[in-house]
Amino acid sequence: RTLLIDTAERLGIPVPPVGETTTSRLAGLLDPGLEAQNPVDAWGTGHAAEDVFAGCLQALADDPAIGIVAFSVDLTSEEDLDNAYGPAVLDAAANIDKPIAVLANVSSTVDPDQAAMIRKGGVPVLQGTETGLRAIGHLIAKAERDVLPARAARLTVPVEVRGRAPMDILDAYGIAFTATRTVKDLDGAVAAAEDIGYPVVVKTTAGDHKTEVDGIRLGLRDGAGVEEAYRDLSSRLGPEVTVSEQIPAAVELALGMVNDPHFGPLVVLAAGGTLVELLRDRVALLPPVDGPRAARALGRLSISGLLSGSRGSPSVDLGSLTDLIVKFSEFVHDYGPELEAVDLNPVIAGPERSVAVDVLVRWRT
């Protein structure tokens, strides 16, 4: 039971608490000492095992908080009482109008005869705790996609986007960026910094991974700092740089797009900044994404706890963050088939707003 709970939490699959009515029904079925909660550990003395299992499955299925019922057992044939599993789940399934499946914890020990009998009765047998829970997670995700509101096949953007600067392209979709100027000489860099307001960041435009070429200078507070940064970067990496406002430290995320050969364009939400490839903390979504789906995806990231604040840091404005994800997904939905890759990294999620700092857009040739 503990393994099931821990694995479900790691995979982002909800195990909802049950109501008082369900708790009362379970308590009437279980042996003394067994807790009436979800998940239910129904194995006690083994007395009337088939009736206890079927009754618990039915009680859970009748609870409005539960959408899918899983009978999690080691489907072996080592003991006589194990033979109660199949009849119990089929008896319950005949009266349950929600999805129900057997979740066999260790696939290598599944008794093929019992599994065949259960499947013949119309109940799936999912083999392996993690793979079975992932299958249940996919069923939940499918239900969420089915209720998405209908929308136009393509958004109308003000002008043709091909050939435009990446920030201008996404600005057409309402995605917020840090105030940024692109310049090609020292005087332009200093003037841009004065116009934006200190502190600023100066960053080379050369290469996709600017940290790997030491191409970023942060927290520059005056013209002298900008001049020193520009001279260094231009001498090593070329004259073109961007000058941007310095955003206060906050939670860093990344938004990207990949073209999957089977599913087409996908939005990838991940932990951002320099940790994006180290942590490999990411969720893939089919665009377009609405606000509730964006919020659920954020909750599936390992860094999701940071969004609500930690160790005195303020919580993130989830409204602005989910709105940014939604708008990015609309761009991917509209232009995904024409794109090789898109990368917004980092997206800085703060207590008042969420803004993209850097963007890469590659069109298919």
Side-chain angles (χ1 to χ4, degrees):
R1 180 172 175 272
T2 301
L3 173 64
L4 183 72
I5 294 170
D6 289 347
T7 306
E9 181 178 7
R10 176 167 56 83
L11 298 177
I13 297 168
V15 181
V18 295
E20 292 183 7
T21 300
T22 306
T23 301
S24 179
R25 286 178 63 180
L26 292 173
L29 292 164
L30 299 173
D31 286 348
L34 297 179
E35 297 177 271
Q37 57 183 310
N38 183 32
V40 181
D41 178 4
W43 188 259
T45 63
H47 176 69
E50 185 177 327
D51 292 337
V52 171
F53 294 147
C56 288
L57 291 170
Q58 185 69 58
L60 291 172
D62 290 342
D63 193 294
I66 291 178
I68 301 170
V69 181
F71 188 26
S72 180
V73 293
D74 294 322
L75 198 61
T76 67
S77 55
E78 295 179 359
E79 301 178 22
D80 291 339
L81 287 175
D82 287 337
N83 295 322
Y85 295 152
V89 72
L90 293 178
D91 181 43
N95 301 300
I96 291 175
D97 60 359
K98 295 178 180 178
I100 182 171
V102 171
L103 178 57
N105 295 304
V106 184
S107 57
S108 61
T109 63
V110 171
D111 180 357
D113 293 333
Q114 283 202 75
M117 183 264 290
I118 293 169
R119 288 173 174 142
K120 186 176 180 180
V123 176
V125 176
L126 308 176
Q127 298 186 201
T129 304
E130 179 159 338
T131 53
L133 285 172
R134 286 187 183 276
I136 290 171
H138 296 323
L139 184 59
I140 295 171
K142 179 180 183 300
E144 292 171 350
R145 285 198 301 273
D146 288 345
V147 299
L148 284 177
R151 65 183 294 274
R154 191 180 185 98
L155 289 179
T156 301
V157 294
V159 293
E160 172 59 40
V161 296
R162 269 189 183 269
R164 298 180 66 193
M167 285 188 182
D168 291 341
I169 295 171
L170 294 174
D171 179 67
Y173 279 79
I175 293 175
F177 279 90
T178 54
T180 299
R181 307 283 188 276
T182 301
V183 300
K184 296 184 178 181
D185 56 45
L186 175 58
D187 290 343
V190 175
E194 297 287 345
D195 184 44
I196 291 169
Y198 295 103
V200 296
V201 177
V202 175
K203 186 184 307 183
T204 181
T205 60
D208 295 341
H209 299 286
K210 297 169 179 57
T211 55
E212 294 180 1
V213 294
D214 189 27
I216 302 173
R217 294 294 178 268
L218 302 171
L220 306 176
R221 297 188 173 277
D222 53 36
V226 171
E227 181 176 344
E228 180 181 353
Y230 182 83
R231 291 188 186 282
D232 172 51
L233 297 180
S234 62
S235 66
R236 294 185 295 108
L237 302 166
E240 186 173 273
V241 301
T242 59
V243 181
S244 305
E245 63 176 313
Q246 174 83 51
I247 301 295
V251 181
E252 294 190 358
L253 298 108
L255 278 168
M257 185 226 70
V258 294
N259 258 307
D260 184 89
H262 302 292
F263 296 103
L266 296 175
V267 171
V268 180
L269 173 65
T274 58
L275 299 178
V276 62
E277 297 192 7
L278 177 63
L279 293 181
R280 298 193 178 277
D281 182 16
R282 62 192 64 171
V283 177
L285 300 164
L286 282 170
V289 179
D290 63 1
R293 281 184 68 209
R296 286 192 292 269
L298 288 168
R300 290 167 59 191
L301 293 174
S302 299
I303 64 165
S304 62
L306 298 177
L307 302 177
S308 57
S310 63
R311 296 192 175 184
S313 62
S315 60
V316 164
D317 178 6
L318 287 177
S320 68
L321 179 55
T322 55
D323 183 61
L324 190 150
I325 295 169
V326 168
K327 289 173 179 175
F328 179 79
S329 81
E330 290 173 344
F331 169 67
V332 171
H333 178 260
D334 290 348
Y335 288 98
E338 303 169 41
L339 292 162
E340 185 68 35
V342 183
D343 188 21
L344 284 182
N345 183 32
V347 171
I348 307 246
E352 298 179 356
R353 60 173 180 156
S354 293
V355 293
V357 173
D358 202 359
V359 57
L360 167 71
V361 175
R362 286 200 187 124
W363 296 96
R364 286 186 165 179
T365 56

